[in-house]
Amino acid sequence: LLCKLLTFLIRYLKMEKELKYIDLVEQPISMHPKKFALWLFMVTVVMIFAALTSAYIVRQAEGNWLEYDLPQVFWFTSGVVVLSSLFLHWAYISAKKDNLSQLRIGMSMAVLLGIVFLVGQWYSWVALVDRQVFFVGNPSGSFLYVFTGLHAVHLISGVIFLIIVLISSFRYKVHSQAMNTMEMATSYWHFLGGLWIYLFMFLLLNH
């Protein structure tokens, strides 16, 4: 009888381990639908700008290319977008630690610097007009307006996203147990900042 009980226990333990293993295998690696949609959108944006920069190089090689200096304000806006990402990352870490005061400060600074970046881009267009570089005319100027304008449109959506998260932080809807929106906003903003740095470096090297 004792041998039968031991045999039964051994079989039961083996069966339990097998069932646990099957449960782990069958659990899918999932991503939040909104995060998945955001990543798909960012991939689409990358493809658009990759196509535009490729077209830039091809058209430049054909000749009839207007030479002019890039607006100096681009250096300023590049520093601003990097600084805004640093403040946003600080806010993200603060949210994970449930430090709501630092979260709100970091988010507020990121929003403010995002607006400063957009204002700086407007002044870059003013500087281009002063240099007789217009959207209509030589393709060299047209490409620059398309690059900066299209990026600015996406950055406006990023600033709106940050404002939504900032409002949510004041309503206690962003904390260590509710990080989904914060993570999405952080990923999108870092992406936009990296995209601008790429565009700026591309223009410096291929202008």
Side-chain angles (χ1 to χ4, degrees):
L1 180 62
L2 182 59
C3 291
K4 289 183 178 180
L5 286 173
L6 289 173
T7 304
F8 174 76
L9 287 173
I10 291 171
R11 288 180 178 177
Y12 176 77
L13 291 173
K14 286 183 178 180
M15 185 181 297
E16 188 178 13
K17 287 182 179 179
E18 290 176 357
L19 288 173
K20 286 182 178 179
Y21 177 76
I22 292 172
D23 289 340
L24 289 173
V25 171
E26 290 181 349
Q27 286 181 356
I29 300 174
S30 60
M31 179 183 290
H32 194 283
K34 291 183 179 179
K35 285 185 179 180
F36 183 70
L38 177 63
W39 280 101
L40 281 180
F41 176 72
M42 290 191 292
V43 169
T44 303
V45 174
V46 168
M47 294 175 65
I48 291 172
F49 278 96
L52 286 173
T53 51
S54 297
Y56 180 101
I57 293 174
V58 172
R59 181 61 186 83
Q60 186 181 37
E62 294 178 357
N64 187 28
W65 196 257
L66 178 65
E67 297 292 341
Y68 57 90
D69 294 328
L70 292 174
Q72 291 296 316
V73 72
F74 280 173
W75 291 96
F76 171 75
T77 53
S78 298
V80 167
V81 78
V82 170
L83 190 59
S84 68
S85 285
L86 292 176
F87 271 109
L88 184 58
H89 189 68
W90 178 48
Y92 172 78
I93 294 174
S94 300
K96 292 182 70 175
K97 295 179 179 179
D98 287 324
N99 193 330
L100 299 184
S101 60
Q102 291 185 1
L103 163 64
R104 292 161 184 165
I105 294 172
M107 289 300 304
S108 298
M109 290 302 300
V111 170
L112 178 61
L113 290 170
I115 295 172
V116 171
F117 177 89
L118 289 171
V119 174
Q121 295 301 76
W122 170 260
Y123 278 104
S124 72
W125 287 3
V126 173
L128 288 172
V129 172
D130 290 341
R131 297 173 187 180
Q132 303 298 306
V133 179
F134 304 102
F135 176 74
V136 179
N138 193 278
S140 176
S142 301
F143 269 107
L144 187 54
Y145 279 101
V146 170
F147 285 156
T148 55
L150 191 57
H151 181 266
V153 169
H154 288 95
L155 201 96
I156 290 171
S157 68
V159 170
I160 294 173
F161 199 174
L162 293 185
I163 292 174
I164 292 172
V165 177
L166 177 60
I167 295 172
S168 297
S169 69
F170 279 97
R171 294 178 177 176
Y172 301 98
K173 293 183 178 180
V174 179
H175 48 78
S176 61
Q177 302 302 315
M179 291 290 294
N180 187 58
T181 307
M182 184 69 192
E183 289 173 354
M184 291 175 59
T186 303
S187 298
Y188 187 48
W189 192 256
H190 289 338
F191 165 73
L192 292 176
L195 179 61
W196 170 251
I197 297 301
Y198 162 74
L199 289 174
F200 183 39
M201 296 304 298
F202 173 83
L203 291 170
L204 283 176
L205 295 174
N206 297 281
H207 187 63

